[in-house]
Amino acid sequence: KVIKYDILAFVPGDADELEINDTLVNALEFADKDGKASADAAAVVAAVAVKDSNDHKVNGTVAAAGESLGDKAAATVNGNALAVKIADAKPYRGKYIQVTFYAKYTDETIKAAQVADAATVTDNGAVLEGAAKHTGTTNEASYKIKTGNDWS
């Protein structure tokens, strides 16, 4: 089962560059839209788009991404880490960047029954792993902003 994740990051008014990062927990691995494990960022990242608001949910589901950034955003996958870099964030100041990517449970996780039922996992779902089994799996997203010569 493919799990679709969305990260929504606000671009401050003084941002020159932006880097959005996500690190998957060990139970997950990056995948393409068909659920095949992949380290190819072009297959893993479904979209990087700019939006005017943080309306990431519409009627309980993830809203469609806005205008695509195309080659203005560069994505890389390194193990369980995804990085999306926007070298020139100035046109997006005061807006939101939405990164959409795919992951799946590792075969080892499913075999070890660390997930209740992989078929019931929902996109962007939260979970507790191990004894308290729920659908979904959390991961850690963050972003850094460069203003002038300083990254914060």
Side-chain angles (χ1 to χ4, degrees):
K1 160 106 173 119
V2 174
I3 307 165
K4 183 173 82 171
Y5 286 95
D6 290 275
I7 303 169
L8 197 59
F10 180 72
V11 183
D14 58 351
D16 294 325
E17 294 180 46
L18 180 70
E19 182 178 317
I20 300 168
N21 300 285
D22 192 282
T23 302
L24 298 177
V25 295
N26 288 335
L28 295 172
E29 61 188 337
F30 290 107
D32 64 18
K33 66 180 180 175
D34 298 319
K36 182 179 176 188
S38 179
D40 178 7
V44 168
V45 177
V48 179
V50 63
K51 301 175 80 164
D52 289 325
S53 68
N54 66 348
D55 62 342
H56 65 290
K57 296 275 187 176
V58 175
N59 297 326
T61 61
V62 176
E67 173 193 345
S68 173
L69 270 82
D71 62 0
K72 296 175 185 132
T76 56
V77 171
N78 184 6
N80 277 13
L82 169 68
V84 176
K85 295 181 183 181
I86 300 168
D88 183 10
K90 292 174 190 165
Y92 313 112
R93 290 175 173 173
K95 298 182 184 249
Y96 293 83
I97 302 296
Q98 180 176 333
V99 177
T100 302
F101 67 91
Y102 302 110
K104 72 177 197 77
Y105 284 107
T106 64
D107 291 339
E108 293 79 20
T109 300
I110 294 169
K111 286 177 188 172
Q114 292 176 354
V115 294
D117 181 357
T120 66
V121 175
T122 57
D123 292 341
N124 291 299
V127 72
L128 299 173
E129 291 188 44
K133 296 175 184 173
H134 296 272
T135 58
T137 294
T138 59
N139 55 339
E140 183 178 321
S142 63
Y143 69 105
K144 297 188 292 187
I145 302 156
K146 184 174 184 183
T147 56
N149 292 323
D150 298 321
W151 283 96
S152 60

